[in-house]
Amino acid sequence: MNSTEETIRVVLVDDQVLIRAGLRALVDAEPGMAVVGEAGDGDAAVEIVRRERPDVVLMDIRMPGTDGLVATQRISADPELDTVHVVILTTFEEDAYVFEAIRGGAAGFLVKDTEPAELLRAVRTVHAGESLLSPRATRSLVAAYATHAKSSALAPALDVLTERERQVMQLVALGLTNAEIAERLFVSPMTTKTHVSRAMIKLGARDRAQLVVFAYETGLVTPGWQP
């Protein structure tokens, strides 16, 4: 690790001690990462996140008492925690709560049987400002639930976007990275990043994951759509 590289600070939230212990061993053994706190329920999670201001939170969704969904919403709603990225950990890919968590501010989700290397990549991905849109069934999950909740009343909100911003938003919703979008549109990755950032600001999206949800809810993208 470069001596100037910052350490990614991680908080673990799961009601099962053994799972937290395994995650701690994995994260702490990775150069450039460190666990700075643990919690076994949502209330404790919010308290630790407010105290430690971690970069990434690995959040279980089903816990006794206050669950991961409520905890994620509280963290995402706190303007002082706007640099904290929550990744939902779940046992079930089809968990309906996962969509609500993403809608409420989570950067994405991983199933608990994810390979260790994939989990570590996920931590680095969200820390870099990207969202977990490709691993496993994330995109299809978002598409399924957002389509059910689609409201034509939201469509006029897209009027604030330029045609290029809409186009970029559609490709973000398909799970493409900035580099992949840039290649598709014959522009630079920096230009793509600018379009994504402007779309997020105009629509009030916290991150790319919320941009994806909005794309499906407004009907800008529908399941099976291809550019």
Side-chain angles (χ1 to χ4, degrees):
M1 180 183 66
N2 189 306
S3 59
T4 62
E5 182 181 347
E6 65 176 313
T7 297
I8 301 174
R9 305 171 74 252
V10 181
V11 162
L12 309 174
V13 184
D14 196 294
D15 62 316
Q16 298 186 47
V17 177
L18 284 177
I19 289 180
R20 295 205 309 271
L23 290 172
R24 174 179 279 276
L26 177 66
V27 172
D28 280 343
E30 178 71 5
M33 292 186 193
V35 174
V36 297
E38 297 183 22
D41 62 71
D43 287 334
V46 175
E47 181 180 340
I48 289 176
V49 169
R50 285 174 175 163
R51 183 176 70 245
E52 297 294 339
R53 305 295 173 89
D55 300 300
V56 177
V57 180
L58 297 179
M59 178 83 73
D60 185 23
I61 201 166
R62 300 190 182 194
M63 296 179 288
T66 300
D67 62 22
L69 176 60
V70 173
T72 297
Q73 291 171 337
R74 289 179 183 172
I75 292 169
S76 300
D78 189 335
E80 295 186 359
L81 302 176
D82 60 357
T83 61
V84 177
H85 304 286
V86 178
V87 176
I88 296 296
L89 294 178
T90 179
T91 306
F92 309 102
E93 290 184 359
E94 300 301 323
D95 196 330
Y97 289 114
V98 171
F99 170 72
E100 292 302 328
I102 293 175
R103 199 176 188 184
F109 85 98
L110 292 170
V111 289
K112 288 185 177 180
D113 63 354
T114 294
E115 292 294 324
E118 184 178 340
L119 185 143
L120 294 173
R121 280 196 299 270
V123 171
R124 295 193 184 282
T125 295
V126 297
H127 178 248
E130 297 284 345
S131 295
L132 299 178
L133 305 177
S134 297
R136 308 296 289 265
T138 305
R139 197 173 71 200
S140 60
L141 178 79
V142 171
Y145 285 100
T147 299
H148 291 318
K150 184 170 67 177
S151 170
S152 59
L154 296 174
L158 296 177
D159 292 343
V160 300
L161 302 181
T162 65
E163 186 60 35
R164 178 61 95 184
E165 287 165 354
R166 289 190 185 208
Q167 191 175 18
V168 168
M169 184 172 166
Q170 287 175 318
L171 296 177
V172 168
L174 292 183
L176 274 63
T177 65
N178 285 349
E180 291 168 336
I181 294 172
E183 184 177 355
R184 180 80 64 93
L185 300 181
F186 303 103
V187 298
S188 70
M190 184 57 67
T191 296
T192 298
K193 183 177 181 180
T194 298
H195 287 312
V196 172
S197 297
R198 287 177 178 170
M200 287 170 54
I201 291 171
K202 289 180 178 180
L203 297 174
R206 176 185 171 94
D207 55 25
R208 291 170 73 100
Q210 286 194 326
L211 206 60
V212 173
V213 171
F214 201 86
Y216 280 102
E217 286 187 323
T218 58
L220 182 64
V221 174
T222 56
W225 179 86
Q226 291 295 328

